[in-house]
Amino acid sequence: MAALAIPSPSKSSSFWSSSSSSLFSRCCLSHKSVGFNESRSRICGSNTFKCDLPQPVNYGNGKPTIPILNERTLPKFLESARMETTVNRNAARLKVFSGTANPALSQEIAWYMGLELGKINIKRFADGEIYVQLQDSVRGCDVYLVQPTCPPANENLMELLIMIDACRRASAKNITAVIPYFGYARADRKTQGRESIAAKLVANLITEAGANRVLACDLHSGQSMGYFDIPVDHVYCQPVILDYLASKRICSDDLVVVSPDVGGVARARAFAKKLSDAPLAIVDKRRHGHNVAEVMNLIGDVKGKVAVMVDDMIDTAGTIAKGAALLHQEGAREVYACCTHAVFSPPAIERLSGGLFQEVIITNTLPVAEKNYFPQLTVLSVANLLGETIWRVHDDCSVSSIFQ
């Protein structure tokens, strides 16, 4: 595989600002249903909070409009005053490398940080074995390896382990595994006899490979952090989605946040609290097997309201689609789906694009295949969030090394 190299970012950039508090102001809005394109551009009354948002990937007739990235122009969500100051920061000992799972996100992170991606050679032999060679020196450096364990999960996980081993053998000072999507987080406990806890096994593999730290986004459950014997920085991507919702014309009086299952109540409650403490509804379901869900009942009132369903991931979309159908039966005016990780295993696209949702809002922690584009899909970038987190972790490590 060819080495990955990123051009230097432009120094002329503007500051990207966002806020995740007081996102919705109390205002009045008629219960008139609006079209998909119209609802994106309309803004609520004069008292509504308006923030400068990451620019989503827009889809017209199911085809994406990707911003052009080159040395002279950057999309709005990558422009930042950070780029004007990074040249003065101690970046000489910081290296960011990308695996093959999500190189586009890695490039956006590097652009935000004002760095170039480290050169790395990753290839596969005829029998499927993975070969990794760093083409930049990392001796004494803080190294950040961006590699989600998305499908094919086992290949991407093995690639991450070999990348960690290559950095360790190249005398890197600190190795941080940046895992936007931790694929084995669902296997975090035993619910039946003779089950494995794969999340703990994978945590041990990453630690034994030589990682000194892990940076992950929206783990399926917080207890997964305890499976690692090394520090874990758990980043929540809710502010990115909240800022986007703040730009839409939705009155807090008309809003209800819905948890698609009982297990996600804490996540939905935290989300609702940021939306002017919006009311909460819960979908009660009974699962008869993996990726098979059956909706049973709805707890809460959604009649005439705009329902925002919140989950950490969408796999086959069975849970969230059946929940949306129940919300429409109970009188919900519009239904939005919000999630961080878009796994989109078949038949997720058919379920999500079937007319149940006004909009499906996801982030780019996982790459979205071209075949999975559909008109209601909105993709928000978490590059700024991860880039800023990497800077702060690097600064903390630099300060700690001074006093050692």
Side-chain angles (χ1 to χ4, degrees):
M1 176 178 176
L4 300 175
I6 303 301
S8 300
S10 171
K11 289 188 178 182
S12 59
S13 55
S14 60
F15 182 75
W16 176 86
S17 60
S18 63
S19 173
S20 60
S21 61
S22 301
L23 295 177
F24 282 78
S25 299
R26 298 284 172 177
C27 58
C28 296
L29 174 67
S30 63
H31 297 289
K32 178 181 177 182
S33 179
V34 296
F36 168 71
N37 292 328
E38 183 183 359
S39 65
R40 289 192 177 208
S41 59
R42 286 167 37 176
I43 305 299
C44 200
S46 59
N47 294 327
T48 299
F49 182 85
K50 181 68 172 63
C51 45
D52 193 11
L53 304 171
Q55 177 183 339
V57 177
N58 295 320
Y59 296 84
N61 296 323
K63 297 296 183 180
T65 303
I66 306 293
I68 297 176
L69 306 179
N70 54 48
E71 295 182 357
R72 300 177 181 176
T73 61
L74 290 174
K76 185 178 180 182
F77 69 90
L78 291 180
E79 294 177 356
S80 171
R82 167 69 67 191
M83 292 183 178
E84 299 176 357
T85 59
T86 50
V87 292
N88 298 323
R89 303 181 70 157
N90 182 22
R93 313 311 297 170
L94 187 152
K95 299 285 186 179
V96 179
F97 292 90
S98 173
T100 61
N102 196 351
L105 175 60
S106 303
Q107 290 175 358
E108 293 178 13
I109 293 173
W111 261 311
Y112 171 79
M113 299 179 67
L115 302 174
E116 292 186 1
L117 279 180
K119 295 181 176 62
I120 185 171
N121 181 22
I122 303 175
K123 64 181 182 181
R124 283 164 172 76
F125 293 106
D127 62 352
E129 293 182 7
I130 301 171
Y131 172 82
V132 173
Q133 180 191 26
L134 303 178
Q135 297 182 325
D136 286 343
S137 173
V138 296
R139 183 177 297 275
C141 295
D142 290 335
V143 178
Y144 295 82
L145 305 175
V146 183
Q147 175 80 342
T149 57
C150 53
N154 297 329
E155 279 200 27
N156 289 326
L157 174 60
M158 193 64 194
E159 185 178 303
L160 173 63
L161 298 176
I162 298 175
M163 290 169 64
I164 295 172
D165 182 72
C167 293
R168 179 175 62 87
R169 296 179 186 279
S171 301
K173 181 180 180 181
N174 292 299
I175 304 170
T176 300
V178 181
I179 311 175
Y181 170 68
F182 184 54
Y184 281 89
R186 284 178 287 183
D188 57 357
R189 65 191 185 281
K190 290 184 66 173
T191 58
Q192 302 177 32
R194 300 175 296 281
E195 282 186 330
S196 68
I197 303 180
K200 174 58 177 173
L201 172 63
V202 173
N204 288 342
L205 289 173
I206 293 173
T207 303
E208 292 301 320
N212 303 108
R213 197 178 194 98
V214 168
L215 196 164
C217 296
D218 281 350
L219 293 170
H220 188 65
S221 61
Q223 68 198 41
S224 298
M225 290 187 290
Y227 295 154
F228 290 89
D229 296 326
I230 54 179
V232 177
D233 295 294
H234 188 197
V235 178
Y236 295 93
C237 298
Q238 280 189 356
V240 177
I241 300 175
L242 288 166
D243 283 349
Y244 177 72
L245 287 175
S247 70
K248 306 182 72 63
R249 187 176 179 178
I250 304 175
C251 290
S252 57
D253 291 337
D254 296 334
L255 185 70
V256 58
V257 175
V258 181
S259 173
D261 53 31
V262 176
V265 171
R267 183 185 306 108
R269 184 184 293 115
F271 197 87
K273 191 172 183 179
K274 297 292 181 63
L275 297 178
S276 298
D277 204 12
L280 183 68
I282 304 169
V283 176
D284 174 39
K285 67 176 176 62
R286 306 294 172 90
R287 188 181 294 276
H288 299 291
H290 295 294
N291 295 330
V292 178
E294 180 181 356
V295 173
M296 301 296 294
N297 200 3
L298 177 68
I299 305 171
D301 181 24
V302 298
K303 188 174 182 180
K305 294 184 177 292
V306 176
V308 178
M309 302 188 73
V310 180
D311 209 347
D312 64 321
M313 64 180 295
I314 297 179
D315 191 355
T316 61
T319 297
I320 203 164
K322 289 185 177 181
L326 179 63
L327 293 176
H328 282 292
Q329 292 176 9
E330 296 294 329
R333 190 169 82 248
E334 293 176 354
V335 178
Y336 289 80
C338 301
C339 86
T340 301
H341 310 300
V343 181
F344 286 174
S345 302
I349 303 304
E350 290 78 5
R351 290 169 172 170
L352 294 173
S353 60
L356 291 172
F357 299 97
Q358 180 78 6
E359 192 171 356
V360 178
I361 304 168
I362 64 173
T363 70
N364 62 343
T365 55
L366 281 76
V368 181
E370 185 176 356
K371 64 180 180 180
N372 292 336
Y373 297 144
F374 57 95
Q376 295 87 356
L377 184 66
T378 298
V379 182
L380 304 177
S381 178
V382 295
N384 291 13
L385 184 65
L386 291 176
E388 188 63 31
T389 304
I390 290 174
W391 267 129
R392 297 190 182 195
V393 171
H394 173 65
D395 289 344
D396 289 343
C397 292
S398 299
V399 172
S400 299
S401 63
I402 294 175
F403 293 97
Q404 286 179 352

